[in-house]
Amino acid sequence: MSNFLSHLNKTVRQQYMSLPQGQKCQVTYIWIDGTGETLRNKTRTLDTEPQSIEEIPEWNFDGSSTYQAEGSNSDMYLIPVCMFRDPFNLDPNKLVLCEVLKYNRLPAETNHRASCNKVMEKVKEHHIWFGMEQEYTLLGTDGHPFSWPPNGFPAPQGPYYCGVGANSAYGRDIVECHYKACLYAGIKICGTNAEVMPSQWEYQVGPCEGIEMGDHLWVSRFLLHRVCEDFGVVATLDPKPMKGNWNGTGCHTNVSTKEMREEGGLQYIEKAIDKLGKKHPEHIRVYDPHEGKDNIRRLTGLHETSSIHDFSAGVANRGASIRIPRQVGQEKKGYFEDRRPAANCDPYAVTKAIAITCLLEEEKGAK
């Protein structure tokens, strides 16, 4: 069944969207709900266009309707932390990512940004950069992969990765609209491509330093869902949306510190990988929102993944937990790629775990 909301007359809509709004500014507040995966949003009017995040007031919402509070004590605080241009309502309107605080002003259970930010402050002299490769799958509103035959399957994987043509690339309009929306908003999106399974796509965000990685990835996800809404299609970040001989969906995370980027940096990359190997179970627990239960469907050792039970590393090896790109192996400096995070991971939890393991574990042991 198609989503009739997407068939509302966009020409009529445009007539209203082009009306002047005076000096007023619409600010859409975005936050992560109690699932740790789903985003919520609501909009308010400010009298003037805010020039910085400090000019955007705190707000609140009903946490009992977002799996975040009891009905008897349901008000929760929205704390603005990062501001972007609004590609849907256009300038001067804004999108604002918020942290969620409980009634006692402590971070909500799914607010991993607060603790991530503390870690990033501790390691800031290392100038740790991240780049995250967000894979996703397009579905119809009936939950069936977009453009797949209604009662069957498309041809096996092979022609779809970076493919072109109506028989290979399903849903490119959404991908290209999302890309432009990210660029307009100010998201550090750096590329996109069709993935191995039909209707599966990827975009990359980065390099971002420290806390910026989580901020930009979460808002890029909001933009993805919002663009899909206009087309009457659903984007799922489920790590294994289709059982069987189809690729899963990940969020490969590229990591580089100042030391890794300098001459001889490969030794620091190898040290970091050694530390990650010793903490494999701990990382698996924070690499999806359900302590590894989502990733166990994806990390099987097949379809360009390592087994969830084993840790491995190798140059140019897409079946390893950690891949050292071939160019990095040759130049002896650069970055490494952690291939374990699931598509629906919380980037704050992932980057925090990597920063602690790679940069803070030794210091902890020395104290």
Side-chain angles (χ1 to χ4, degrees):
M1 193 178 94
S2 65
N3 181 351
F4 289 106
L5 290 176
S6 68
H7 300 157
L8 293 174
N9 191 316
K10 302 298 186 192
T11 309
V12 173
R13 180 180 184 272
Q14 194 50 47
Q15 179 187 335
Y16 292 100
M17 294 305 285
S18 57
L19 291 172
Q21 58 187 66
Q23 297 301 308
K24 303 288 187 184
C25 178
Q26 290 174 289
V27 177
T28 298
Y29 288 59
I30 301 164
W31 71 97
I32 302 157
D33 73 9
T35 65
E37 299 182 68
T38 309
L39 290 157
R40 306 286 180 124
N41 68 105
K42 62 177 185 167
T43 305
R44 73 188 295 178
T45 305
L46 298 186
D47 289 334
T48 56
E49 179 183 356
Q51 300 303 309
S52 69
I53 198 74
E54 289 74 30
E55 293 179 26
I56 298 171
E58 290 185 15
W59 206 8
N60 56 64
F61 69 95
D62 169 16
S64 69
S65 299
T66 61
Y67 318 115
Q68 285 170 299
E70 299 294 320
S72 58
N73 189 11
S74 66
D75 274 8
M76 303 191 78
Y77 297 105
L78 291 171
I79 313 300
V81 292
C82 203
M83 181 170 73
F84 296 88
R85 294 169 74 199
D86 183 341
F88 308 107
N89 295 304
L90 308 183
D91 291 335
N93 304 305
K94 306 295 181 192
L95 302 177
V96 177
L97 181 66
C98 300
E99 280 193 33
V100 177
L101 302 185
K102 296 188 284 192
Y103 69 95
N104 54 11
R105 298 191 70 84
L106 291 173
E109 280 70 20
T110 51
N111 175 1
H112 296 296
R113 187 185 190 276
S115 60
C116 178
N117 204 19
K118 286 177 185 165
V119 169
M120 295 308 171
E121 280 298 309
K122 283 183 189 168
V123 302
K124 65 181 178 186
E125 74 274 13
H126 293 282
H127 297 286
I128 188 164
W129 293 358
F130 298 97
M132 295 183 85
E133 305 170 24
Q134 179 67 70
E135 295 179 347
Y136 61 95
T137 307
L138 297 175
L139 309 174
T141 50
D142 59 358
H144 192 63
F146 178 70
S147 282
W148 283 32
N151 300 309
F153 297 93
Q157 294 181 162
Y160 309 108
Y161 172 70
C162 296
V164 63
N167 57 344
S168 298
Y170 302 173
R172 191 186 299 275
D173 281 350
I174 290 165
V175 175
E176 294 190 339
C177 291
H178 174 249
Y179 202 151
K180 285 287 177 121
C182 284
L183 289 172
Y184 183 93
I187 299 288
K188 291 189 173 179
I189 187 170
C190 60
T192 188
N193 58 271
E195 264 304 330
V196 177
M197 185 176 88
S199 303
Q200 186 188 59
W201 295 82
E202 175 188 297
Y203 64 90
Q204 304 90 28
V205 175
C208 295
E209 187 165 329
I211 198 69
E212 186 181 59
M213 184 68 249
D215 292 348
H216 281 240
L217 195 71
W218 271 115
V219 177
S220 76
R221 288 173 174 178
F222 173 81
L223 296 180
L224 177 65
H225 294 307
R226 181 63 185 74
V227 168
C228 284
E229 183 184 319
D230 278 346
F231 283 95
V233 172
V234 174
T236 178
L237 305 187
D238 186 280
K240 188 74 175 179
M242 295 302 290
K243 291 178 181 173
N245 200 20
W246 304 101
N247 271 38
T249 319
C251 192
H252 303 153
T253 302
N254 300 282
V255 184
S256 179
T257 62
K258 185 170 175 287
E259 295 90 346
M260 292 175 191
R261 294 188 289 276
E262 291 170 350
E263 287 304 315
L266 187 60
Q267 63 177 311
Y268 294 99
I269 292 171
E270 287 169 343
K271 275 182 195 167
I273 292 171
D274 187 52
K275 291 177 186 175
L276 288 165
K278 292 175 178 145
K279 294 280 181 179
H280 179 66
E282 290 89 337
H283 280 253
I284 288 297
R285 276 199 292 276
V286 297
Y287 278 9
D288 73 46
H290 299 107
E291 299 188 331
K293 291 189 184 75
D294 288 339
N295 239 342
I296 201 162
R297 294 182 284 124
R298 167 183 160 257
L299 295 178
T300 59
L302 303 170
H303 305 109
E304 299 182 73
T305 70
S306 57
S307 166
I308 198 168
H309 305 294
D310 304 317
F311 181 87
S312 57
V315 174
N317 182 359
R318 283 180 161 74
S321 312
I322 307 286
R323 179 179 72 96
I324 298 174
R326 191 176 303 285
Q327 179 188 352
V328 173
Q330 289 166 350
E331 294 181 2
K332 305 282 190 282
K333 64 178 180 179
Y335 69 99
F336 67 88
E337 176 192 52
D338 191 334
R339 297 178 61 82
R340 297 171 295 171
N344 62 344
C345 69
D346 186 323
Y348 297 128
V350 170
T351 56
K352 172 189 165 185
I354 290 171
I356 289 173
T357 298
C358 296
L359 298 173
L360 293 179
E361 285 298 327
E362 271 178 10
E363 294 171 25
K364 220 161 61 179
K367 283 173 186 170

